[in-house]
Amino acid sequence: AQMHALLEGKRLASKNIILNPLGVTCRQSTDLIACDDLRVRQALRFIREHATDGIDMSDVLKQVPMARRSLERRIRQVTGRSPAEEIRRAKMERVRLLLEESNLSIPEIAEACGFNYVEHMIPLFKKHYGHTPSGYRKILRTGIHKRSL
């Protein structure tokens, strides 16, 4: 309401307005992988760029040819997650961005993010973010923000 009044050129009684952010959105251009290990950086970049294409560790190894166990161990050391967990995390991040930035339906988002069934995406999203995709979108659109997402 206060933002709407400001946009209409009205003055507000209070000069100090504090808005709580809904979160921080990393873009691919700013999402740098801080790691000295070139192969891990290559693997993580590939995962983040192709997670929604249905990739798995064999696809990562085609891009970063080395011993599977060695790459898995090095990725876990850097991220604290297995490559499979990192792929799921990257997929969920893409779902979250589409919920925030598009008007695509939940089934359309599931398809765009590589899920064969929306029923597989919904519980995974809820596990990661604490809300169903539609609940998350409702929070964003109504401005209700009970806790950090």
Side-chain angles (χ1 to χ4, degrees):
Q2 291 178 345
M3 182 65 78
H4 184 56
L6 285 172
L7 291 172
E8 290 181 344
K10 297 177 183 175
R11 291 186 176 256
L12 300 178
S14 174
K15 291 186 181 192
N16 295 326
I17 300 171
I18 298 173
L19 300 175
N20 292 323
L22 292 176
V24 176
T25 301
C26 290
R27 303 284 181 234
Q28 248 180 353
S29 61
T30 60
D31 189 15
L32 301 176
I33 301 163
C35 166
D36 292 333
D37 190 325
L38 174 63
R39 297 215 174 180
V40 170
R41 282 197 321 265
Q42 290 171 330
L44 292 175
R45 184 171 293 114
F46 178 77
I47 287 170
R48 289 176 186 174
E49 291 173 359
H50 299 281
T52 60
D53 298 339
I55 64 167
D56 61 19
M57 191 58 185
S58 65
D59 299 304
V60 176
L61 289 167
K62 288 175 190 169
Q63 296 300 310
V64 185
M66 62 182 292
R68 179 186 185 108
R69 296 290 178 232
S70 178
L71 184 58
E72 287 174 342
R73 181 180 38 79
R74 287 158 70 171
I75 288 172
R76 185 179 290 280
Q77 286 173 339
V78 170
T79 66
R81 292 179 289 275
S82 72
E85 291 167 333
E86 184 62 22
I87 290 168
R88 277 191 298 278
R89 188 210 59 77
K91 283 177 82 164
M92 289 296 96
E93 180 63 18
R94 180 71 178 141
V95 170
R96 186 186 64 77
L97 285 172
L98 288 175
L99 287 167
E100 291 177 5
E101 299 176 352
S102 78
N103 288 321
L104 293 173
S105 69
I106 304 301
E108 289 170 327
I109 290 173
E111 183 179 344
C113 292
F115 290 93
N116 292 327
Y117 302 99
V118 70
E119 296 83 7
H120 293 162
M121 181 190 78
I122 292 171
L124 192 56
F125 187 88
K126 185 171 184 177
K127 180 179 177 182
H128 274 75
Y129 294 104
H131 299 278
T132 63
S134 58
Y136 181 82
R137 185 176 262 171
K138 182 178 179 181
I139 288 168
L140 292 174
R141 295 199 172 156
T142 61
I144 300 170
H145 188 64
K146 295 181 181 176
R147 65 185 176 106
S148 178
L149 297 175

